[in-house]
Amino acid sequence: MVRPWKFNLREEKLSDRPGHALVGIVNMPATVISPARAIARRVLFALLALLAVVFVVYLDNDGYRDANDDGISLLDSFYYATVTLSTTGYGDITPASDTARLVNIILITPLRVLFLIVLIGTTLEVLTERSRQAFRIQNWRRTVRDHVVVIGFGTKGRSAVNALLGEEDSDPSQIVVVDTDRTALDAASARGLITVHGSATRSDVLRVAGVQRASAVVVAPNRDDTAVLVTLSARELAPKARILASVREAENVHLLKQSGADQVVVSSETAGRLLGIATRTPRVVDMVEDLLTPETGLAIAERPVEPSEEGGSPRHLPDIVLGLVRDGTLYRVDAPEADSLEPGDRLLYVKKVSVGEETVP
């Protein structure tokens, strides 16, 4: 009996790949430079290379031979530098001494290559973009800490990113978006966000996004079963991270909680509740929208209790206090536990956002 061959091939994990192998999967936002500035910078580099060759040739003009045998002038030096760097090489001026030939090998030839790189910079920029991306990916993976990973860049994911970017100390480079839709990732990258292409149901993709070192994970896929699986994987990789998930149906909330989500938002019920309120009191919906929009008007904010406020009642503060957080537990302002403020408490209050504090994402 012939036994079939058994292959024990281990699939390479994304998280084990070096930076250059993740180009196309991880995308770092590009630095935008105006065309005029890019052209001016290349011209400047070309002129510097040209002047460097002119200086070297003129400094050692006795080592060069002119077809006219009248010596090498400054004009001849410019002429030789131009035809040499452009690889034209008419041959009427040639290095004759050993020193001049050595300088051509060690200095002028590399400058010729640099000059050509500058001249065809647009083409080479495309070719070297992969190398730059690989270096930036490798550096980012080594240094990223306490960032926010957003799973899914649909309507819910975009709204979550808008809220994050609306904060005063927001940094787009501290937000990583994971999605399988290239169009969505391009839109996220255009806003300065780091993107990872792949399914977040794979723990390997989450490792590439740095979930194990993230401070928070926003789970906002289009399907509830996907949200459960992603939450399970994220909690396994990041036991201390805060996981916030969104589901369509309320019956799946307990599944998300059991999977490790710290907070679950039911999108369908929330939207339906607002629609029901809008039928009788539409201005209430406008006020809720204002509170949920951090860039303008009123916003719900959180701050620590100041030493001068300890022992007092939150209802007597000039701020409109909605509740307080004590030892990780939220108490409404009318709860008995909120009668007296204690050291370490944090207040949830209504903050007025002035024009000068607006943040444009």
Side-chain angles (χ1 to χ4, degrees):
M1 179 179 179
V2 180
R3 296 183 179 180
W5 287 97
K6 294 183 179 180
F7 295 94
N8 187 20
L9 298 179
R10 175 180 176 269
E11 183 180 358
E12 184 184 10
K13 294 183 178 180
L14 291 177
S15 55
D16 295 335
R17 295 183 184 180
H20 65 84
L22 292 175
V23 176
I25 298 175
V26 179
N27 183 45
M28 310 295 294
T31 303
V32 180
I33 302 177
S34 66
R37 185 177 178 182
I39 293 174
R41 188 167 59 181
R42 290 170 183 163
V43 171
L44 178 61
F45 286 154
L47 289 176
L48 290 176
L50 179 65
L51 291 176
V53 174
V54 170
F55 175 76
V56 171
V57 173
Y58 188 71
L59 189 66
D60 188 28
N61 55 7
D62 293 336
Y64 291 83
R65 180 179 300 165
D66 190 359
N68 299 327
D69 289 332
D70 56 356
I72 304 298
S73 64
L74 181 61
L75 179 60
D76 292 333
S77 299
F78 271 99
Y79 169 75
Y80 177 78
T82 302
V83 297
T84 300
L85 292 183
S86 62
T87 68
T88 304
Y90 294 114
D92 47 352
I93 299 178
T94 58
S97 67
D98 293 339
T99 303
R101 291 172 179 173
L102 182 62
V103 169
N104 265 263
I105 295 173
I106 297 177
L107 181 62
I108 295 181
T109 298
L111 285 175
R112 182 187 298 119
V113 175
L114 176 62
F115 190 82
L116 292 176
I117 289 176
V118 172
L119 289 180
I120 58 176
T122 303
T123 303
L124 289 176
E125 184 175 0
V126 176
L127 297 177
T128 58
E129 177 62 26
R130 185 179 182 90
S131 298
R132 288 202 298 266
Q133 279 281 335
F135 175 77
R136 296 178 64 189
I137 291 172
Q138 185 175 358
N139 182 65
W140 170 75
R141 293 182 68 189
R142 186 175 61 252
T143 59
V144 64
R145 294 288 187 282
D146 298 328
H147 56 295
V148 178
V149 179
V150 178
I151 310 299
F153 202 62
T155 303
K156 294 178 288 187
R158 291 170 191 257
S159 299
V161 169
N162 290 337
L164 291 171
L165 293 178
E167 298 177 357
E168 296 179 5
D169 57 347
S170 62
D171 182 4
S173 64
Q174 284 295 104
I175 301 176
V176 181
V177 174
V178 181
D179 206 313
T180 56
D181 187 356
R182 287 283 187 184
T183 304
L185 294 180
D186 290 341
S189 181
R191 304 188 64 178
L193 310 179
I194 298 172
T195 63
V196 175
H197 179 258
S199 174
T201 57
R202 296 177 53 190
S203 59
D204 207 27
V205 174
L206 296 178
R207 286 192 184 94
V208 172
V211 166
Q212 63 274 19
R213 297 186 298 274
S215 61
V217 181
V218 177
V219 183
N222 294 324
R223 295 167 54 97
D224 287 3
D225 54 349
T226 303
V228 173
L229 183 56
V230 171
T231 302
L232 279 170
S233 301
R235 179 53 71 199
E236 181 182 9
L237 293 174
K240 297 182 180 180
R242 183 167 179 79
I243 298 180
L244 310 106
S246 171
V247 292
R248 293 177 178 271
E249 304 299 333
E251 62 185 15
N252 296 322
V253 171
H254 73 285
L255 295 177
L256 268 299
K257 291 284 189 179
Q258 292 176 358
S259 301
D262 296 291
Q263 192 166 5
V264 181
V265 177
V266 183
S267 58
S268 60
E269 286 197 359
T270 302
R273 193 176 297 113
L274 290 176
L275 289 173
I277 294 174
T279 58
R280 297 184 178 275
T281 53
R283 298 307 176 191
V284 174
V285 179
D286 294 338
M287 180 58 66
V288 172
E289 288 289 338
D290 188 10
L291 291 173
L292 294 177
T293 306
E295 295 91 351
T296 57
L298 301 177
I300 300 177
E302 182 179 342
R303 68 172 178 85
V305 172
E306 299 178 359
S308 60
E309 299 171 340
E310 296 175 2
S313 172
R315 291 186 290 271
H316 297 158
L317 297 178
D319 296 324
I320 302 176
V321 179
L322 303 177
L324 64 85
V325 179
R326 178 178 298 156
D327 298 328
T329 303
L330 173 63
Y331 299 100
R332 294 190 315 184
V333 70
D334 58 348
E337 293 83 356
D339 287 340
S340 178
L341 297 175
E342 299 179 0
D345 289 348
R346 298 187 64 85
L347 298 178
L348 298 179
Y349 69 104
V350 177
K351 174 184 177 182
K352 182 178 181 181
V353 181
S354 62
V355 178
E357 295 177 336
E358 291 183 11
T359 303
V360 180

